[in-house]
Structure formats: structure tokens, C-alpha cells
Amino acid sequence: MRIYVGNLPYSVADDDLRDIFGEYGELAAAEVIKDKFSGQSKGFGFVEMPNNAEAAAAIKALNETDMKGRKLTVNEARPRAERPRGGGGGRY
């Protein structure tokens, strides 16, 4: 299961997510999303857990918990919405 982790403190790194979620089971991946130009955290990330029961337990335990003064939002990740491409502005 892919898990969305939002409202992360900007100082949190991939290893921090691995440490926190690793307490609930096996992880396939853990990534804090960063700005591609500055390298600064965008304040959210994703964790991949192969066992759905462990993932559900992690979501239940960690949602709305405090991390360095910020209340985390933890839930099952939803597929990214399709966004229009281009920007032709209606010109032909």
C-alpha cells in the first residue's frame, strides 16, 4: 500500500520516514518529496508498505500525531489527478 504523509516538518528526511514507519512493518520505499530546483522539502512524502494490514496499522497509529511541532496527515495515497498539459491559451 502506498501511504501519503503530509504536513511534514521541512527538516525531515527519507531516513526519518523509514525509522517511523519501520516500527509498523516492512517498507518497500520511503521518500520525502523535494523541490527539483532548490532541493528543499515540499513538506510531504510517500511510504510504500507491501503488507496492507501493517500499512493500515501505521496509518491509524500515525495520523494526526505530532512530529517536531507539526500534526501529521497520514492516509492511503490516492492516484494523482490528470492535469492539462501545455498552455496554448486557446490559440490556433
Side-chain angles (χ1 to χ4, degrees), residues 13-58:
D14 297 352
D15 287 341
D16 297 317
L17 285 182
R18 280 189 203 94
D19 291 345
I20 294 163
F21 281 84
E23 294 180 26
Y24 297 92
E26 180 187 349
L27 301 182
E31 179 183 20
V32 173
I33 304 303
K34 297 177 181 72
D35 180 273
K36 62 183 172 182
F37 299 109
S38 70
Q40 173 71 33
S41 167
K42 289 191 171 187
F44 70 96
F46 294 96
V47 173
E48 184 81 36
M49 296 182 78
N51 183 307
N52 286 349
E54 292 173 351

